[in-house]
Every structure is written in C-alpha cells, then in structure tokens.
Amino acid sequence: MDKTEILEKIKQTEIKVEESIRAAEEEKKNKILEAKMKAREIIESAESEAAKIKEEIINSAKRQIESEKEEIRKRESKEIEEFARKGKDNVMKAVEFLYSEFVGMVEHA
C-alpha cells in the first residue's frame, strides 16, 4: 500500500466516522423528541385523571352536604312544629285563663 492509498483509506474512514456521528446525533435528537412527546402524553393523561378524581370528590362532597342540609331541615322543621304546638297550647291556656277570669269578674259584678 502506498501513501496515497493510505491517505484515501484514512479519508474514507473519516467520512464514515462523520456520517456515523451525524446519524448518532440525529438518532439522539429523535429519541429526545420521542421521550418529550411520551412525557407530554403522560402528563396530559395524569392531568385528565386528576381532573376526573377532583370532579368525583367535589360531587361526593356536594351529595354529602345536601344530605346533611336535608337532615338539618328535617330536624329544624320538627323543632318548629314543636314550638308551634307549644304556642297553640299556650294560646289555649291563655284563652281559658282569660275566660275564667272574665267569668269570675262577671259573676262577682
């Protein structure tokens, strides 16, 4: 092998190495891009799942609040009915008392 052939082989090897480096760089860029796309998909999926879970928690809390409000309404309604009944009883007692007093006043007059 003469000097020219050796130089030519070195040049061809350098070209092959440069092509290999460019191909490796391109593959690296593609893999990074692919990884970023997968990461974005994972994040979007996680955000979507988190939104669903959040909605379920909110709906559950709303149902629980409505249930508790209804229990309070029923309890308060019973208390109001009891006050009304006691009020009517007291009115009747007052009427009876006033009637007795009136009858007593009329009889003594």
Side-chain angles (χ1 to χ4, degrees):
M1 239 194 227
D2 68 350
K3 191 174 179 183
T4 307
E5 288 176 340
I6 294 173
L7 290 174
E8 186 61 35
K9 282 198 174 217
I10 291 173
K11 189 169 187 156
Q12 288 175 359
T13 303
E14 286 177 346
I15 291 172
K16 285 180 182 180
V17 168
E18 287 177 10
E19 288 174 356
S20 294
I21 290 172
R22 277 195 297 268
E25 286 292 325
E26 189 65 30
E27 184 177 350
K28 173 185 156 187
K29 288 178 187 178
N30 289 337
K31 293 213 182 244
I32 290 172
L33 181 60
E34 185 179 318
K36 285 180 180 180
M37 289 171 53
K38 284 183 181 180
R40 187 179 323 272
E41 288 174 5
I42 291 169
I43 290 169
E44 288 173 358
S45 176
E47 287 174 345
S48 176
E49 187 64 27
K52 287 177 187 176
I53 292 170
K54 174 185 171 186
E55 189 67 26
E56 289 173 5
I57 291 170
I58 289 171
N59 288 337
S60 175
K62 285 180 180 179
R63 285 191 300 273
Q64 186 175 0
I65 288 168
E66 284 303 316
S67 175
E68 289 176 11
K69 281 172 41 178
E70 188 59 32
E71 287 179 28
I72 291 169
R73 279 190 201 113
K74 287 178 183 177
R75 187 174 59 240
E76 295 298 320
S77 177
K78 287 179 183 178
E79 286 183 26
I80 290 169
E81 289 173 6
E82 182 64 20
F83 286 138
R85 187 188 60 74
K86 286 180 181 178
K88 286 179 184 176
D89 288 347
N90 288 338
V91 168
M92 289 307 292
K93 287 179 185 176
V95 167
E96 288 173 7
F97 174 77
L98 290 174
Y99 177 74
S100 296
E101 290 293 315
F102 177 73
V103 169
M105 286 175 49
V106 169
E107 288 178 354
H108 289 95

